[in-house]
Amino acid sequence: MSDETLKVGDTIEVTTEGIAYGGDAVARHEGAVIFIPYAAADERLVIQITEQKKNFFRGSIIRVLEPSDARRDPPCEYFGRCGGCQLQHLDYAAQLSAKEGFIRDALERIGRIEWQPQIKVQPSPELGYRTRARLTLEKVAQVGDASNQASISIGFNEARSKSICDVSFCPVLSDGLNKALSDLREKLGGTWPFTGRAHEIEAAAGDSGYAIQPPIPGLSSGKLNCNVGDATYVFEPSIFFQSNRELLRDLVEAVIADQKGGLAIDLYSGVGLFSIALARRFERVVAVESESSAVKAAIENIAINRIENVRVIKASVEEWVKNFVRRLKERTAEAPGLIVLDPPRKGASAAIKDVARMKSAKIVYVSCDPTTLARDLRTLVDCGYVLDDIGAFDLFPQTYHVETVVKLSRAAEQGSHSPSRREKVNGTKTGRTGA
Ligand SMILES: C[S@@+](CC[C@H](N)C(=O)[O-])C[C@H]1O[C@@H](n2cnc3c(N)ncnc32)[C@H](O)[C@@H]1O
């Protein structure tokens, strides 16, 4: 059967190759690429084609003929229906290996960067790790005549659907967040106090208890505390804060490592997670963040930790770095020793060329999306940076998400890796080990 004749509803036998970013296994059938959710690599499957797109198909498993050794029973009863997790059917070693593959694949395909050394993905406790979540509440049916009496679903979006998967216990959530889930259910009873059919709640757990926002009377909605190493952070559920407490200390240590010097710049600084650690090793730190609530929390965190050498600037990174480059040219600013950038999922494409023009000796790029990371790294490499190290943290076990930390230095700064010595890989100029 050729891909022209393959169509929705067909049942075929395939052997899967690897796992693609997003969590689906990939199989090929006479030239057609098929993505298959909840499959492992190297499995023989009977699948049914469920969807046809311009360049690929999607299929669902009808029967597993030859299962992978990595296949296991998922630890959650909602797996397959709830859209929160994609990889519970794989043992943890296979999940980590898939994540190294996501990074490597994005670097090669999107960044045209070949990275030979291993990319170690630091493991996390597999379950009970998650300390932040967006819960969706949905009024599914009205009960009786009273307009505010309802049957209510509380949980997460179902996979590839707008419906809500009603979850009474989620094994990836921390105990604190599972308590938030059950308290929410108990507090509402069968009463629907919101307008509309659906309502979203941000829930987060700190060192002592949880909070939700927007507030619901009787449930905590205040500030939370979290200690990481010797620093204390205050945050609120509606402000970005990393959602896996277990690896936070190691993540901060990996980003800062033994770097020290004059000026460090923390772009997309949030509540100051990296700024506070940087302040202990650099003479001056500038933190740039656009969200007012995060800026306010960062200022509070700096005061709580008795730090005096961090300046928090409320600005869009794009505008601030452009301005910095202008000041650098006018010699009213000095080149930083280190830039840490930790953008949201969409990456930093609008700012990345100016980040390179800031002439920082070192850059550490922290990313939660290998595809946008690879695109931005390509720009940094084209602007004269070389990759020194790539590491990753499994901040989100059971899902396809992975946090990557990439360390770069300016080629001119590197004795043994000056631009003139860069190798050509895949027809493009790249840095160390072909990167
Ligand atoms: C992935 S979070 C990282 C926060 C912090 N580094 C941490 O680890 O806690 C990204 C942060 O960038 C901020 N942000 C998003 N777009 C921005 C922009 N264009 N300019 C400045 N900050 C931005 C968000 O508000 C968020 O706090």
Side-chain angles (χ1 to χ4, degrees):
M1 187 184 288
S2 82
D3 62 334
E4 274 155 32
T5 56
L6 196 60
K7 57 187 186 311
V8 171
D10 286 348
T11 300
I12 53 171
E13 265 188 45
V14 292
T15 302
T16 53
E17 297 173 5
I19 308 286
Y21 186 58
D24 296 348
V26 184
R28 279 166 220 278
H29 183 82
E30 297 184 4
V33 175
I34 308 163
F35 290 96
I36 308 159
Y38 315 121
D42 302 319
E43 290 193 312
R44 189 85 191 137
L45 305 169
V46 177
I47 61 161
Q48 183 165 57
I49 301 298
T50 53
E51 212 180 327
Q52 178 169 7
K53 296 281 187 191
K54 191 157 169 246
N55 296 320
F56 65 89
F57 293 84
R58 209 177 293 281
S60 69
I61 300 176
I62 303 285
R63 208 162 51 253
V64 179
L65 299 174
E66 291 165 30
S68 154
D69 289 345
R71 183 174 277 283
R72 68 172 184 187
D73 289 335
C76 174
E77 61 177 296
Y78 305 105
F79 183 65
R81 191 150 62 80
C82 175
C85 294
Q86 300 76 34
L87 302 180
Q88 289 195 13
H89 61 297
L90 301 181
D91 67 29
Y92 194 46
Q95 292 187 28
L96 294 174
S97 149
K99 291 182 186 193
E100 178 181 358
F102 300 160
I103 300 167
R104 221 171 258 297
D105 176 63
L107 289 175
E108 287 176 16
R109 219 169 23 82
I110 300 167
R112 288 168 288 124
I113 292 169
E114 279 186 18
W115 179 257
Q116 308 292 350
Q118 193 204 357
I119 300 172
K120 182 174 179 293
V121 184
Q122 185 166 325
S124 154
E126 270 197 67
L127 300 171
Y129 65 85
R130 191 167 178 136
T131 48
R132 274 167 50 84
R134 176 174 299 158
L135 303 171
T136 306
L137 287 69
E138 189 183 34
K139 182 179 178 179
V140 273
Q142 193 134 315
V143 179
D145 293 337
S147 63
N148 66 345
Q149 286 300 297
S151 162
I152 300 170
S153 287
I154 305 178
F156 304 102
N157 286 336
E158 287 188 358
R160 295 179 190 87
S161 149
K162 288 205 170 76
S163 306
I164 302 307
C165 181
D166 191 35
V167 170
S168 56
F169 175 84
C170 166
V172 307
L173 294 187
S174 66
D175 291 347
L177 280 201
N178 269 310
K179 173 138 179 42
L181 195 60
S182 61
D183 285 358
L184 197 54
R185 207 175 280 285
E186 195 185 309
K187 186 58 65 183
L188 289 175
T191 310
W192 183 255
F194 316 108
T195 51
R197 275 184 64 84
H199 185 76
E200 281 190 346
I201 283 183
E202 303 288 347
D207 286 350
S208 47
Y210 70 82
I212 59 161
Q213 283 176 343
I216 290 180
L219 297 177
S220 165
S221 62
K223 288 181 185 172
L224 295 161
N225 253 49
C226 168
N227 285 316
V228 182
D230 58 357
T232 298
Y233 297 89
V234 170
F235 64 103
E236 293 175 29
S238 57
I239 304 176
F240 180 89
F241 195 71
Q242 302 287 352
S243 57
N244 184 332
R245 287 282 312 284
E246 312 283 342
L247 297 187
L248 215 41
R249 185 178 175 161
D250 290 350
L251 174 69
V252 173
E253 276 175 11
V255 169
I256 314 297
D258 56 357
Q259 311 196 67
K260 55 183 182 219
L263 173 64
I265 293 177
D266 184 11
L267 300 176
Y268 309 93
S269 52
V271 303
L273 179 69
F274 300 126
S275 314
I276 286 169
L278 286 167
R280 302 208 160 112
R281 304 193 60 91
F282 284 78
E283 286 162 25
R284 280 161 301 123
V285 177
V286 176
V288 184
E289 164 64 45
S290 59
E291 273 294 319
S292 309
S293 50
V295 167
K296 205 163 150 239
I299 291 168
E300 189 176 349
N301 286 328
I302 286 158
I304 290 170
N305 289 283
R306 300 177 194 286
I307 304 270
E308 293 183 344
N309 55 342
V310 178
R311 193 154 63 94
V312 184
I313 296 176
K314 182 190 172 319
S316 92
V317 163
E318 297 78 9
E319 283 171 29
W320 189 84
V321 294
K322 202 175 279 311
N323 204 23
F324 186 94
V325 171
R326 184 182 51 71
R327 289 192 291 123
L328 198 60
K329 283 189 188 138
E330 294 167 356
R331 295 175 192 269
T332 55
E334 62 170 301
L338 173 66
I339 294 175
V340 172
L341 79 154
D342 181 11
R345 197 161 291 286
K346 68 176 183 178
S349 62
I352 200 72
K353 279 193 179 147
D354 282 323
V355 170
R357 291 185 189 116
M358 289 166 75
K359 299 199 164 122
S360 181
K362 306 269 178 192
I363 294 178
V364 180
Y365 193 137
V366 183
S367 162
C368 57
D369 185 331
T371 62
T372 55
L373 169 71
R375 177 202 63 201
D376 292 346
L377 288 179
R378 179 73 253 167
T379 307
L380 290 174
V381 167
D382 287 343
C383 292
Y385 279 86
V386 291
L387 275 66
D388 294 329
D389 186 50
I390 305 181
F393 290 82
D394 192 17
L395 296 188
F396 317 98
Q398 318 305 337
T399 78
Y400 69 88
H401 298 291
V402 61
E403 194 85 354
T404 313
V405 176
V406 180
K407 299 190 173 177
L408 305 103
S409 49
R410 249 162 75 82
E413 250 68 44
Q414 289 232 335
S416 57
H417 291 279
S418 62
S420 60
R421 296 192 57 193
R422 277 180 284 152
E423 302 140 326
K424 271 197 153 201
V425 175
N426 295 341
T428 56
K429 277 188 180 172
T430 59
R432 177 177 292 179
T433 60

